[in-house]
Amino acid sequence: MDNSAALKAILESPEFVPHIVENRLIQAQEGLYVPFPPGLDPRIAGNLRKRGIEKIYTHQAEVWEAAYAGKHVVVVTPTASGKTLCYNLPSLEALLEDEKARCLYLFPTKALSQDQQSELNEIVGGDLNLRVATYDGDTPDSLRISARDTGRIIISNPDMLHAGILPNHPRWIKFFSSLKYVVIDEAHAYRGVLGSHVANVIRRLKRIAAFYGSRPQFILCSATIANPKELAEALTGEEVELVDNNGAPRGEKRVVLYNPPLVDAVQGIRRSVVGESRRWMLALLKGGIKTILFAHSRIRTEVAASYVNEDLENIFTDNRRIRVEAYRGGLLPNERREIEKGLRDGGIQGVVSTNALELGIDIGGLDASVVAGFPGSFNSFWQQSGRAGRRGGTSVSVFVASSAPLDQFIMEDPDWFFRKAAEEGRIDPDNPYILTDHVKCACFELPFDDDDEDGNPGKNVRSPDMHGMSSMPGMPRPFGERAAEVLSFLEEEGIVRHTANRWHWADRSFPAEGISLRSATVDNVVIVDATKGRNTVIGEMDRPSAKELIFPNAVYIHRGRQYLVESLDIANRKCIVREADVNYFTDGLVKTDIKVLSEDEQFEFGMRRESPSALPEHAAATGTLGDVLVRSQVAKFKKIRFHTHENIGYGDIDLPEEEMQTRSLILCFGPETGGGAALASMDENAAGAALSGAGTLIKHIAPVYLLCDSRDLGLAERVRDPHFGVPALYIYDKYPGGTGLSEALSGKIESLFRSAREALFRCPCKTGCPSCVGPGGNKAAATVFLRALAGKSRE
């Protein structure tokens, strides 16, 4: 039985068919081709022909033309559409035309960097004689000097550019003085906190390049999002040309929406999304179909991989055991590469991954992807879905719904899911916390000037002035006018000093070393296996996650092995674990407290009118945008039995609380508002349940309107808020200083109210369930409340 027959049998199996909500066929698409560009060096064309490439896609040609014309460009096409060649062609051409030219390739992960070097080496081999070098945290010191001095293309990531290259720019004079192209791959990944940091790293890069006399062009690649041009321009600070007409062929794909069966129709409880995803993966692997399962969290990933391997223990295909691995953040570099290689050469037939494999790492030909619960954005879903069928042919992507409100909303309206436009990518480079960090780094790298008249010596260009402005004609202001305010603040703190019309670094610290691009804190906790005196590092984790996942007595799962946490030393960033064999895993319970620090803007939402000509009667709710202090603490954990997922006990955790100042949109429901009047008509318990139910729906549906994960937003509800004295919902950014999510949400609240109301109406449960108002919720009370906020639904 070949794969297509096996796939057909699985999709028609009575085990799955009753609960398949939608089985939609996305037709194959023919490719659109054009000849190689006339100006392309014959040596590049010859090397491509050796690889079987006789012509290029139309979108690749468009990028070539834009780059050849000196424009910055962003290309937006689906997964596996040949975006790599979009930037390789102009880059290689520039390097062959000018023997001094250099290019910088930035990828969001080290794994993707390694993968792209392998592909690039195939193109530059032979008569091109161009040195390609990877420069990241895994590069040995012995290779770094040669990479710096002789590398024509440097492959790196924003983290290394931020902490390893820019602060040491005098060692990179040859590179920066001849920098022709900067390639930013997977640009859609740079959103929220990470994107805001990366935009500032690019500001610093442009500033140093200008100091050494170069002004590089930017080529960006992105998956489909609603605002790729806007995001690319925010990242680079440049006007960017958009190329989004995909010329690549597309294989036939089936997208299956699967809703796990109900086990309690009254309470709306369904079978576990992990268990059902595991059943799909097992069926596909047994049918000889290479499969990737996206599980979205470290715990889910390890637990699901363990389950699948247990089920496959005595099952063989082609006289060999089916091997499945877990792939997630925190793995050691050699472990990552071992898994990637195994997937490419067939030694590994299945992988359970967090979103770490969502990006374009080459893991060979996969025929199926299973997405366990909505991944937070439609962009992520289609990226994950696109990991199957990357080599053509028929593929399948199965979306297994969880009980989350958004998942069930999709199951109730599949057409909405397929017609839903991609989300926007939002960043805030001027976030005060992030901007201050990078102005520090920039001042450490080069002094700032007060005005254009007095610049640092360079190659016919002046160094940036106090506002980040260079006297090179047309040079943008990388840091904008807010740099002056930040520098004055830093002077008061004694971090910089102002003398002779320049701002100089005055601190003894190395600023980039203390700033992480990836999370709110730079502190990573090292996980050490002390079993039988091994004392071997087996992984690492950021500090806030460590408090929630590897607290004392927690179960830590690493590539199928169980460990019990013996101690967690936050001060010294070290966690000691020992191998164990237990029948449960653990989950930390976080309690949160919020204090309002400032009230910056006020809003009124959902104004009601008796008729179009009448004056507004009252608002449905009022809103305040401001700063808040969020204090969180992991005080208890629960033990969850493997397979049944029943709660078998609790434990106490004694760890210090985390404090974070951030931005919040606070929805208030005073007696003068429609929402407040609805809550006032209920008893206290019902009002609390209504507020909690609406908050649950809002938190899980908000990612539809913002390109973020639901975990990027925090939510707290208070029946009587101590600050405002009325019922309130706090929706806040879960990063210091905020990332613009609360501000963006303030303009979408009324649409969000309507979507929450519709999701509640569509839910088939009678009294409330995990798919609408949350477990133990009050559907009737939440319905009354949401009607007051958004009007009646289409009942």
Side-chain angles (χ1 to χ4, degrees):
M1 181 183 288
D2 63 18
N3 284 0
S4 59
L7 181 57
K8 185 175 184 293
I10 293 167
L11 293 178
E12 294 176 355
S13 166
E15 182 183 6
F16 297 116
V17 165
H19 308 290
I20 292 178
V21 174
E22 186 80 13
N23 181 354
R24 186 164 299 196
L25 178 66
I26 298 176
Q27 297 288 350
Q29 177 178 295
E30 294 292 326
L32 301 174
Y33 301 91
V34 294
F36 290 137
L40 184 66
D41 190 291
R43 290 171 289 179
I44 301 175
N47 280 17
L48 292 175
R49 290 190 177 97
K50 289 176 184 176
R51 301 180 67 208
I53 301 173
E54 297 289 339
K55 48 193 173 181
I56 61 175
Y57 303 137
T58 50
H59 65 272
Q60 293 169 337
E62 285 186 56
V63 174
W64 166 274
E65 291 168 5
Y68 201 74
K71 299 177 181 178
H72 308 285
V73 60
V74 58
V75 56
V76 183
T77 53
T79 305
S81 57
K83 288 193 282 284
T84 302
L85 210 55
C86 289
Y87 53 77
N88 277 339
L89 289 184
S91 295
L92 295 176
E93 182 68 29
L95 297 179
L96 293 177
E97 286 181 357
D98 179 359
E99 63 180 15
K100 293 182 179 179
R102 300 288 192 272
C103 296
L104 175 64
Y105 286 13
L106 296 176
F107 298 96
T109 66
K110 289 185 284 189
L112 194 52
S113 297
Q114 295 287 341
D115 179 68
Q116 292 298 315
Q117 175 163 9
S118 299
E119 183 166 339
L120 193 54
N121 284 338
E122 294 180 17
I123 301 176
V124 302
D127 55 353
L128 292 189
N129 194 29
L130 297 173
R131 171 90 192 282
V132 180
T134 296
Y135 196 95
D136 60 26
D138 295 342
T139 305
D141 290 341
S142 58
L143 298 180
R144 292 191 177 193
I145 296 176
S146 62
R148 201 164 54 220
D149 294 341
T150 63
R152 301 293 303 281
I153 297 177
I154 294 293
I155 297 176
S156 191
N157 54 63
D159 309 80
M160 179 55 75
L161 180 63
H162 154 67
I165 297 177
L166 295 179
N168 297 299
H169 62 87
R171 300 179 182 177
W172 292 79
I173 293 175
K174 185 187 297 185
F175 180 81
F176 281 119
S177 61
S178 302
L179 184 58
K180 174 62 178 174
Y181 284 109
V182 175
V183 171
I184 303 176
D185 196 20
E186 308 284 0
H188 60 278
Y190 300 126
R191 58 187 188 266
V193 169
L194 176 60
S196 301
H197 274 296
V198 170
N200 278 285
V201 173
I202 297 302
R203 288 170 169 174
R204 289 160 52 199
L205 168 65
K206 289 165 61 178
R207 188 169 179 260
I208 286 173
F211 177 73
Y212 288 113
S214 66
R215 186 176 176 183
Q217 286 177 244
F218 290 91
I219 301 176
L220 302 94
C221 298
S222 173
T224 302
I225 57 174
N227 62 336
K229 187 175 189 292
E230 178 188 343
L231 179 61
E233 291 179 341
L235 284 169
T236 63
E238 302 282 359
E239 186 176 342
V240 175
E241 181 161 315
L242 174 65
V243 173
D244 60 355
N245 294 315
N246 179 33
R250 182 180 64 206
E252 184 179 83
K253 178 186 284 289
R254 288 200 170 273
V255 178
V256 176
L257 305 187
Y258 177 84
N259 208 9
L262 287 164
V263 292
D264 187 330
V266 175
Q267 296 187 63
I269 298 173
R270 297 182 180 274
R271 281 189 191 168
S272 157
V273 64
V274 174
E276 292 300 286
S277 301
R278 157 197 175 192
R279 290 204 305 130
W280 273 100
M281 189 177 199
L282 280 171
L284 292 163
L285 289 171
K286 288 177 182 178
I289 299 170
K290 289 183 69 175
T291 305
I292 183 170
L293 166 59
F294 286 98
H296 309 312
S297 76
R298 292 172 179 174
I299 292 176
R300 272 190 184 182
T301 295
E302 290 285 3
V303 169
S306 298
Y307 289 173
V308 172
N309 277 317
E310 285 177 21
D311 293 328
L312 294 172
E313 194 168 358
N314 297 312
I315 297 176
F316 296 79
T317 60
D318 299 327
N319 295 318
R320 64 179 178 178
R321 184 171 171 243
I322 300 173
R323 183 182 169 192
V324 175
E325 288 280 357
Y327 190 104
R328 57 172 176 78
L331 294 179
L332 301 176
N334 61 313
E335 292 176 320
R336 289 199 312 266
R337 289 170 192 161
E338 176 195 334
I339 297 170
E340 293 159 14
K341 182 178 182 295
L343 287 166
R344 284 194 298 270
D345 63 23
I348 298 173
Q349 292 76 44
V351 63
V352 184
S353 177
T354 58
N355 62 359
L357 281 178
E358 180 180 306
L359 304 177
I361 299 166
D362 182 9
I363 51 175
L366 296 170
D367 300 309
S369 64
V370 179
V371 182
F374 190 70
S377 74
F378 286 89
N379 172 51
S380 287
F381 174 81
W382 291 113
Q383 280 284 102
Q384 293 175 8
S385 171
R387 293 320 308 258
R390 289 174 63 84
R391 296 292 183 261
T394 302
S395 62
V396 64
S397 180
V398 182
F399 170 33
V400 180
S402 73
S403 294
L406 183 53
D407 293 44
Q408 293 305 311
F409 186 92
I410 291 168
M411 293 297 128
E412 289 294 325
D413 192 352
D415 288 335
W416 175 83
F417 174 77
F418 285 100
R419 69 174 180 265
K420 185 74 179 69
E423 303 95 339
E424 294 182 347
R426 290 186 171 274
I427 63 172
D428 181 15
D430 291 329
N431 172 300
Y433 286 79
I434 295 172
L435 179 67
T436 300
D437 282 342
H438 289 278
V439 169
K440 286 182 188 176
C441 296
C443 193
F444 175 88
E445 291 154 2
L446 289 172
F448 282 85
D449 286 354
D450 275 349
D451 53 56
D452 288 336
E453 300 299 320
D454 203 40
N456 287 325
K459 289 191 176 180
N460 301 318
V461 288
R462 300 182 187 273
S463 67
D465 68 2
M466 180 175 173
H467 305 296
M469 176 67 180
S470 165
S471 61
M472 177 183 283
M475 183 69 180
R477 296 184 172 210
F479 280 98
E481 297 179 356
R482 294 195 62 182
E485 180 183 340
V486 174
L487 287 165
S488 295
F489 165 74
L490 294 177
E491 184 184 30
E492 292 175 8
E493 297 294 313
I495 295 172
V496 303
R497 58 185 172 83
H498 186 238
T499 181
N501 298 320
R502 285 188 181 176
W503 300 84
H504 296 267
W505 183 251
D507 198 74
R508 292 184 178 182
S509 66
F510 179 75
E513 190 176 47
I515 300 165
S516 171
L517 307 188
R518 301 283 169 172
S519 63
T521 175
V522 72
D523 301 331
N524 265 19
V525 174
V526 174
I527 303 168
V528 179
D529 175 16
T531 308
K532 297 179 181 178
R534 289 177 193 154
N535 291 322
T536 304
V537 175
I538 60 172
E540 63 179 12
M541 194 177 295
D542 63 274
R543 190 190 68 211
S545 297
K547 288 185 176 182
E548 295 182 25
L549 298 174
I550 52 173
F551 43 83
N553 297 316
V555 176
Y556 176 67
I557 307 174
H558 184 83
R559 299 190 71 181
R561 291 184 177 177
Q562 298 173 9
Y563 299 85
L564 270 178
V565 176
E566 187 173 284
S567 65
L568 174 62
D569 185 346
I570 291 294
N572 294 307
R573 294 178 290 180
K574 189 175 183 180
C575 175
I576 303 297
V577 301
R578 294 185 190 274
E579 277 195 47
D581 185 11
V582 294
N583 65 346
Y584 64 91
F585 59 96
T586 51
D587 190 17
L589 303 176
V590 184
K591 66 175 185 179
T592 303
D593 178 56
I594 299 179
K595 179 182 179 182
V596 177
L597 300 178
S598 70
E599 300 177 37
D600 300 330
E601 293 183 64
Q602 278 74 38
F603 309 91
E604 290 187 333
F605 301 114
M607 302 298 291
R608 301 278 179 259
R609 297 173 185 267
E610 295 298 328
S611 67
S613 60
L615 293 173
E617 183 181 332
H618 57 71
T622 58
T624 297
L625 192 63
D627 288 344
V628 296
L629 180 67
V630 180
R631 290 180 288 230
S632 61
Q633 187 171 28
V634 188
K636 286 184 178 292
F637 68 92
K638 57 184 176 180
K639 299 177 181 179
I640 304 168
R641 192 188 300 277
F642 284 121
H643 301 291
T644 64
H645 289 191
E646 61 183 304
N647 186 354
I648 60 173
Y650 289 90
D652 292 323
I653 303 172
D654 183 20
L655 290 172
E657 65 182 14
E658 288 279 321
E659 285 193 349
M660 172 183 68
Q661 184 174 334
T662 186
R663 300 286 287 171
S664 178
L665 176 64
I666 306 152
L667 302 176
C668 293
F669 309 102
E672 75 285 357
T673 66
L679 292 175
S681 68
M682 309 174 192
D683 62 45
E684 188 173 340
N685 288 338
L691 199 62
S692 176
T696 298
L697 286 158
I698 287 169
K699 183 178 188 297
H700 285 90
I701 296 175
V704 175
Y705 295 91
L706 307 168
L707 189 53
C708 70
D709 191 282
S710 61
R711 287 165 290 190
D712 290 333
L713 293 172
L715 184 132
E717 61 269 348
R718 289 173 170 173
V719 176
R720 185 170 183 82
D721 182 70
H723 182 84
F724 293 99
V726 298
L729 279 174
Y730 287 73
I731 307 169
Y732 59 89
D733 295 14
K734 292 181 75 173
Y735 299 95
T739 57
L741 298 179
S742 296
E743 283 84 350
L745 200 57
S746 65
K748 302 176 185 290
I749 280 294
E750 293 182 8
S751 297
L752 187 56
F753 285 162
R754 289 190 291 271
S755 294
R757 175 202 61 195
E758 291 300 320
L760 186 59
F761 168 64
R762 288 193 178 106
C763 186
C765 75
K766 294 180 180 179
T767 61
C769 70
S771 297
C772 55
V773 294
N778 185 328
K779 186 175 184 179
T783 300
V784 172
F785 182 46
L786 284 169
R787 279 179 176 170
L789 298 181
K792 291 185 177 181
S793 59
R794 301 191 301 270
E795 301 176 20

